[in-house]
Amino acid sequence: MAVVTEMVKEMQGFNLHIVKTSKYKTNTIVWKMKAPLEREAVTERALLPHVLQSSSASHPTTAKLRSYLDNLYGASLFVDVAKKGEYQVISFSIEIANEKFLSDHTPLLEKAFELLSNIILKPNAANGTFDKDTVEKEKRTLKQRIQAVFDDKMRYSNFRLVQEMCEGEPYALPINGEIEAVDNITEKSLFEYYKQALSEDELDLFVIGDVEEAEVQKIASSLFSFQPRTPKQTTRSAVKKIDGAKEIKEQQDIKQGKLNIGYRTNTIYGDSDYSALQVFNGIFGGFSHSKLFHNVREKASLAYYAASRLESHKGLLMVMSGIEFKNYELAVKIINEQMEAMKAGDFTDNEIEQTKAVIENQILETIDTARGMVELLYHNVVAENKISIDDWLQGMRAATKEDIVKAAEKVELDTVYFLTGLEAGE
Amino acid sequence: MEKISFDQLQEELFYEKMDNGLDVYILPKKGFNKTYATFTTKYGSIDNHFNPPGKEDFVKVPDGIAHFLEHKLFEKEDGDVFQQFSRQGASANAFTSFTRTAYLFSSTSNVDKNLITLIDFVQDPYFTEKTVEKEKGIIGQEITMYDDNPDWRLYFGLIQNMYQHHPVKIDIAGTIDSIAAINKDMLYECYNTFYHPSNMLLFIVGPVDADQMMTMVRDNQSKKEYAAKSDIERRFEEEPTGVAETKQVMKMNVQTSKCLVGIKAPNTQLSGNEMLKTELSTNVMLDILFGKSSDNYTKLYGEGLIDETFSYDYTLEQGFGFAVLGGDTGEPDKLADQLKQMLFEGKEGKAFTEERLEQAKKKKIGAFMRAVNSPEYIANQFTRYTFNDMNLFDVVPTLENITLENVRDIAEQLISEDRLTVCQVVPKQS
């Protein structure tokens, strides 16, 4: 039996994805809008979903909208803006109780759909402009959101690494936009952008829960209908030629140094050697049995965390660790040694098997949550692929040591970033 | 083995107390891939003054030792248990809170093996001076990581403002100095006091056969020898009802200020239904006063005093409790004043209407439905509830029975000038 059965149907201007399952006590609806990351639009795109979710024509204040959600048995509504490779993806998610488990059996799913369509299609706007007050409030919150990255040093050092290593590429753009661009946005310019996004973005609707496919299709087609479009594509980022790795050190008044190292994997989601790269990352730094955890933390006692993760659609590998300032050279040396060991094939069959088992476990666990399932299925939309989760798992299991070493050989060091203290002990 | 059914939620729970006193609960979940199990002792950072079994005197142990012990249980003579779990396709973890230490795994294959690994590693300590010393570097980095985290500092600063003696004010991981004093004998002493099966609870949730699992656990436990259960004696100093400090301002390397208002709970010697009702009524009260649909939230957001980081929360355990509200703000003093004023206005009761109460109850019931989709939530919360003689599955019926009078009484008891305190983080320069 397949681990996930996804039904995909082409609708008017969008794709509908349904996964019917009875394991949850709620139903989840996610609306996704995808467009290339571009400097001109990044800030408006970061602001837009927050303006839309704060009120609508039918519920023109946040308090009214939130009261309505509370009365729908605390339906949760939230928005998110994320980078998927060089795309900026907006998500609207609603999760609502399945009335089957309530003492009150009023049907809730259709109400959740109506609310979602009101938020997306009938905003609190008139004469081609959004409500001014709403936009001003959300602009203020967006500025605070942009600024918040400076106060969380783990996020900040990761943000700085990406900024340095992807300088000049769209991927370097901050996901919440640029603070200087916020003030220039008006309720009119944002409304124009909103119209443009609805007519040009690639649109996907996901529905996960104990639902009837025919009923969902009927509701979705009655509420959402758009002009057909050919979604804008980004070109696969040309392989960046690395001319010696960059080393960046920055000083701040902090107690723990943050070491972030970026590599180019030269392999992205959808490539035939992508599953070998995943296994590579698992052996190298993805888990608590990996080389980084074992050597940086358990053996050398240098850190509490030392891990790596992949940015699958962009082809990046990122290592992160928190260390004492004086241990910088030693930590970098140990991490480099682990990378060299990977390239030299210095890992056992046991490590490969262990890693595959844990990756499989991780994927199966992810699809136990509705949101995890949506994120996993959405990879195919971003990569324009049709690999089922089952096929993907099979490919991963089949990766050989030779495949893993080949994937490792393609990995190139790009930038070493260290956020250190003011009196950096070197 | 006992079976307990929850008809409205369509769940069945299986329970058995082992001969050695261990409580075991199993909740089968069809359709899920993952099995999640927690093995928890009722022992956390606050349990630092106690009478070890067979000793005459009470001992006081260094701050952070419960958390240190949690780290060290993973290391065995032949390597660390993480390796074994991952060979069996599982991911393992642990956490220490004020009142509990939990060890857990999740896996979609080899569930039997992983469960036995979990039980056996927790029940077989291996501490040496060498491995204890090595861990000090790792935990030291965990402590410095939190030192740089303004939200963590703010939260603990607020608790320190509230409590004069109670060990809830101690940082869970301790300090670099306090953990320096820890040695292997102290770890064994804590272990022998708090890891007796009669002080522990095993919870398993996932696509499992309850009968078969229970038999496996029973067989495993019957092979191990334990001394007869003895009551654990803990000692806490008398804690005054008022706060220790009314305000604290911390200067940190941040760009945005943060402000929390805390209220120290007046009555914390509660358990069972009384505790559940107090906890839920307090949460409903806070929702009515500060939820996104409230007038207070609308005003604060509209004036730009709060942003999306604004939150409120209530914590209640035997011996301590507090409400916390606040978040990032451009004007920390103004926000503190407004929140305090709103609390006292709230206490007058005008916002407590039937309509708002019904709305808040519905919201909480829906939130509970979302939460029980999560095996993690069920296992961790069920354990916490059981340690306090409450039942997680009583949440919805108890919520349905909350009246306006309950909410008014809670506000009346909780909100009082001598139990309020403010903690702020502000940018260093300027």
Side-chain angles (χ1 to χ4, degrees):
Chain A
M1 203 182 78
V3 294
V4 174
T5 308
E6 180 194 21
M7 192 218 78
V8 187
K9 177 118 179 91
E10 205 179 310
M11 310 285 283
Q12 277 295 316
F14 68 102
N15 281 319
L16 173 64
H17 310 245
I18 303 175
V19 178
K20 183 176 159 64
T21 165
S22 58
K23 67 181 171 189
Y24 308 120
K25 297 197 162 32
T26 54
N27 292 315
T28 300
I29 311 173
V30 182
W31 178 259
K32 290 201 177 263
M33 305 174 60
K34 168 174 152 275
L37 258 171
E38 283 164 0
R39 182 150 206 190
E40 300 68 43
V42 66
T43 312
E44 280 171 316
R45 224 175 147 71
L47 178 63
L48 178 63
H50 292 278
V51 168
L52 292 176
Q53 74 143 1
S54 72
S55 59
S56 69
S58 53
H59 301 96
T61 66
T62 302
K64 283 182 179 146
L65 182 67
R66 291 284 155 184
S67 284
Y68 183 68
L69 285 162
D70 290 353
N71 281 311
L72 288 181
Y73 280 91
S76 75
L77 162 69
F78 61 89
V79 298
D80 175 55
V81 184
K83 263 188 230 181
K84 296 278 168 196
E86 292 193 315
Y87 292 102
Q88 192 179 13
V89 176
I90 298 175
S91 306
F92 295 82
S93 306
I94 294 189
E95 190 181 347
I96 191 157
N98 184 334
E99 61 277 3
K100 210 163 79 179
F101 303 101
L102 295 170
S103 46
D104 169 1
H105 294 294
T106 317
L108 293 171
L109 183 66
E110 192 163 354
K111 290 208 178 346
F113 268 108
E114 279 166 13
L115 180 68
L116 181 68
S117 94
N118 279 336
I119 284 167
I120 295 164
L121 301 174
K122 296 178 185 137
N124 185 7
N127 308 320
T129 70
F130 281 117
D131 175 58
K132 186 179 170 64
D133 191 40
T134 304
V135 173
E136 286 309 314
K137 271 190 270 190
E138 293 308 319
K139 277 163 70 174
R140 192 166 61 208
T141 302
L142 180 62
K143 283 188 192 167
Q144 282 161 333
R145 197 177 299 127
I146 293 170
Q147 249 182 342
V149 72
F150 296 96
D151 296 346
D152 178 340
K153 301 307 168 196
M154 266 196 221
R155 264 178 68 201
Y156 176 76
S157 56
N158 181 62
F159 163 77
R160 287 283 298 121
L161 170 70
V162 169
Q163 209 175 36
E164 291 289 344
M165 80 186 272
C166 299
E167 198 183 344
E169 300 168 66
Y171 195 77
L173 290 166
I175 190 61
N176 288 315
E178 295 174 315
I179 205 153
E180 314 76 50
V182 178
D183 282 332
N184 294 331
I185 301 175
T186 66
E187 52 279 15
K188 193 166 172 16
S189 70
L190 187 67
F191 194 82
E192 280 160 15
Y193 181 74
Y194 159 70
K195 284 287 171 201
Q196 183 195 332
L198 277 188
S199 67
E200 293 177 1
D201 281 11
E202 181 167 5
L203 306 173
D204 288 272
L205 177 61
F206 291 83
V207 183
I208 316 283
D210 194 3
V211 297
E212 291 308 322
E213 289 173 2
E215 190 200 344
V216 168
Q217 218 173 302
K218 202 175 124 208
I219 304 175
S221 61
S222 71
L223 291 171
F224 299 99
S225 167
F226 305 89
Q227 289 298 315
R229 75 268 331 267
T230 311
K232 284 192 201 164
Q233 303 296 334
T234 59
T235 47
R236 178 173 179 150
S237 358
V239 178
K240 181 182 157 187
K241 190 157 171 351
I242 302 172
D243 216 11
K246 263 203 262 191
E247 186 189 41
I248 310 280
K249 282 192 191 177
E250 187 176 335
Q251 291 189 314
Q252 274 197 15
D253 183 3
I254 48 169
K255 293 195 170 158
Q256 182 181 58
K258 306 282 186 231
L259 174 60
N260 291 63
I261 304 180
Y263 304 81
R264 302 272 167 174
T265 62
N266 299 304
T267 301
I268 62 170
Y269 186 94
D271 290 353
S272 59
D273 53 351
Y274 176 74
S275 23
L277 180 70
Q278 276 253 320
V279 181
F280 154 83
N281 179 53
I283 301 172
F284 176 61
F287 302 103
S288 54
H289 70 266
S290 307
K291 288 191 182 295
L292 291 183
F293 189 89
H294 187 69
N295 289 287
V296 180
R297 172 175 150 143
E298 295 300 314
K299 264 175 89 177
S301 215
L302 291 187
Y304 172 62
Y305 67 94
S308 66
R309 67 180 176 84
L310 291 171
E311 205 324 324
S312 334
H313 297 289
K314 174 70 182 161
L316 307 179
L317 170 75
M318 268 139 1
V319 169
M320 63 222 94
S321 186
I323 55 171
E324 275 187 57
F325 309 133
K326 67 172 167 49
N327 288 331
Y328 169 72
E329 307 285 344
L330 181 57
V332 171
K333 180 173 161 273
I334 295 174
I335 294 167
N336 285 339
E337 283 166 3
Q338 304 319 307
M339 180 58 86
E340 288 314 312
M342 291 303 303
K343 290 180 190 245
D346 184 7
F347 49 89
T348 62
D349 287 348
N350 187 12
E351 281 174 279
I352 300 175
E353 286 318 305
Q354 195 174 11
T355 301
K356 286 180 179 175
V358 179
I359 292 175
E360 175 160 348
N361 182 53
Q362 194 177 45
I363 300 282
L364 293 175
E365 285 193 14
T366 303
I367 57 177
D368 268 350
T369 69
R371 288 190 59 213
M373 189 162 1
V374 171
E375 289 311 308
L376 219 52
L377 295 173
Y378 196 65
H379 280 306
N380 276 337
V381 176
V382 176
E384 287 188 279
N385 244 306
K386 295 226 159 38
I387 318 170
S388 72
I389 293 173
D390 293 87
D391 289 347
W392 192 90
L393 282 172
Q394 216 177 343
M396 190 274 298
R397 283 188 215 110
T400 63
K401 180 163 183 176
E402 206 189 342
D403 298 335
I404 299 164
V405 172
K406 270 191 192 150
E409 281 168 348
K410 284 167 75 181
V411 175
E412 288 176 283
L413 178 63
D414 185 309
T415 301
V416 179
Y417 172 84
F418 191 49
L419 182 63
T420 186
L422 294 179
E423 69 296 343
E426 300 261 321
Chain B
M1 186 169 78
E2 206 183 311
K3 178 169 126 180
I4 313 158
S5 299
F6 304 101
D7 297 337
Q8 187 72 58
L9 286 168
Q10 299 176 20
E11 300 283 7
E12 284 179 344
L13 181 66
F14 296 86
Y15 167 66
E16 185 171 318
K17 193 184 251 318
M18 300 290 139
D19 289 340
N20 61 22
L22 175 66
D23 283 324
V24 182
Y25 291 87
I26 302 174
L27 186 86
K29 274 257 182 202
K30 287 196 195 90
F32 276 74
N33 298 308
K34 150 164 100 174
T35 296
Y36 180 80
T38 56
F39 193 17
T40 311
T41 163
K42 191 174 179 179
Y43 167 52
S45 63
I46 64 166
D47 301 303
N48 65 347
H49 193 187
F50 55 87
N51 189 0
K55 292 251 174 107
E56 263 179 40
D57 298 326
F58 274 71
V59 294
K60 255 196 160 164
V61 289
D63 294 353
I65 195 165
H67 170 260
F68 202 104
L69 204 169
E70 173 229 295
H71 271 240
K72 275 335 304 162
L73 264 192
F74 280 92
E75 191 158 336
K76 303 296 170 204
E77 202 167 356
D78 55 354
D80 78 75
V81 188
F82 287 121
Q83 297 283 346
Q84 193 182 339
F85 275 115
S86 63
R87 275 197 296 274
Q88 297 165 185
S91 78
N93 214 334
F95 63 84
T96 306
S97 72
F98 296 128
T99 55
R100 288 176 287 141
T101 312
Y103 301 84
L104 57 98
F105 78 85
S106 62
S107 80
T108 54
S109 59
N110 300 316
V111 171
D112 293 1
K113 261 194 208 164
N114 287 318
L115 182 66
I116 296 301
T117 304
L118 174 71
I119 299 172
D120 287 351
F121 101 80
V122 174
Q123 292 188 330
D124 182 24
Y126 172 79
F127 309 135
T128 68
E129 285 309 340
K130 196 176 153 217
T131 60
V132 167
E133 285 313 306
K134 189 206 74 180
E135 204 67 23
K136 289 177 182 173
I138 297 171
I139 297 179
Q141 286 311 305
E142 187 177 0
I143 293 169
T144 25
M145 176 180 84
Y146 284 115
D147 282 343
D148 279 336
N149 181 324
D151 289 307
W152 184 260
R153 294 273 306 274
L154 181 71
Y155 184 70
F156 265 90
L158 189 78
I159 297 171
Q160 280 155 5
N161 280 4
M162 286 191 264
Y163 282 88
Q164 321 203 7
H165 308 298
H166 195 284
V168 66
K169 69 177 191 173
I170 298 168
D171 222 315
I172 292 171
T175 63
I176 302 232
D177 290 340
S178 76
I179 64 168
I182 292 173
N183 61 41
K184 79 170 189 342
D185 296 333
M186 290 176 192
L187 292 178
Y188 276 116
E189 187 156 75
C190 292
Y191 183 87
N192 292 330
T193 308
F194 294 105
Y195 282 71
H196 189 278
S198 60
N199 194 43
M200 300 190 69
L201 190 154
L202 177 66
F203 198 101
I204 305 156
V205 47
V208 296
D209 175 341
D211 253 327
Q212 181 251 333
M213 281 268 134
M214 199 64 95
T215 306
M216 213 171 65
V217 176
R218 200 184 301 123
D219 290 350
N220 175 282
Q221 290 301 285
S222 66
K223 283 185 212 135
K224 296 178 184 174
E225 288 207 21
Y226 280 95
K229 153 185 197 252
S230 61
D231 284 333
I232 299 169
E233 290 177 76
R234 300 167 166 91
R235 196 171 275 175
F236 297 99
E237 268 186 76
E238 185 86 19
E239 175 69 35
T241 54
V243 296
E245 300 289 337
T246 53
K247 190 175 178 185
Q248 185 185 175
V249 181
M250 291 183 269
K251 289 190 173 165
M252 285 185 75
N253 173 23
V254 294
Q255 294 199 355
T256 310
S257 298
K258 296 170 185 290
C259 171
L260 289 180
V261 171
I263 318 170
K264 188 174 175 181
N267 183 4
T268 58
Q269 294 308 327
L270 298 174
S271 69
N273 286 338
E274 204 187 356
M275 187 177 194
L276 183 60
K277 187 132 196 186
T278 302
E279 180 173 297
L280 293 173
S281 307
T282 310
N283 278 312
V284 164
M285 177 200 80
L286 289 170
D287 253 341
I288 295 176
L289 292 181
F290 296 103
K292 281 187 176 169
S293 59
S294 68
D295 292 344
N296 287 332
Y297 183 92
T298 305
K299 181 162 186 270
L300 295 171
Y301 197 85
E303 287 175 7
L305 282 176
I306 58 171
D307 63 15
E308 61 197 351
T309 60
F310 179 78
S311 71
Y312 50 89
D313 182 43
Y314 181 63
T315 299
L316 181 62
E317 295 288 343
Q318 277 156 24
F320 65 93
F322 42 84
V324 172
L325 55 156
D328 290 1
T329 180
E331 296 178 80
D333 283 331
K334 198 169 166 196
L335 177 60
D337 289 344
Q338 289 261 354
L339 288 173
K340 281 194 205 170
Q341 197 189 327
M342 286 169 173
L343 283 165
F344 286 107
E345 279 169 14
K347 190 178 174 181
E348 287 166 23
K350 268 179 260 149
F352 302 139
T353 63
E354 283 297 345
E355 190 194 346
R356 293 284 294 157
L357 174 65
E358 280 317 302
Q359 189 179 324
K361 280 158 72 168
K362 277 187 171 173
K363 177 179 168 187
K364 284 261 166 261
I365 291 170
F368 184 75
M369 294 290 173
R370 280 203 300 281
V372 295
N373 280 336
S374 154
E376 291 86 344
Y377 176 87
I378 295 177
N380 291 317
Q381 288 305 310
F382 189 91
T383 303
R384 175 186 164 255
Y385 276 68
T386 306
F387 283 167
N388 286 312
D389 298 318
M390 305 186 278
N391 185 339
L392 177 68
F393 293 99
D394 286 341
V395 165
V396 173
T398 308
L399 271 171
E400 283 172 341
N401 287 328
I402 291 175
T403 63
L404 270 183
E405 203 187 332
N406 296 142
V407 174
R408 285 199 198 100
D409 285 350
I410 287 286
E412 184 58 40
Q413 289 160 23
L414 182 68
I415 301 163
S416 160
E417 193 67 55
D418 66 323
R419 287 197 301 274
L420 279 178
T421 184
V422 175
C423 191
Q424 298 168 338
V425 167
V426 301
K428 220 165 200 173
Q429 68 279 32
S430 81

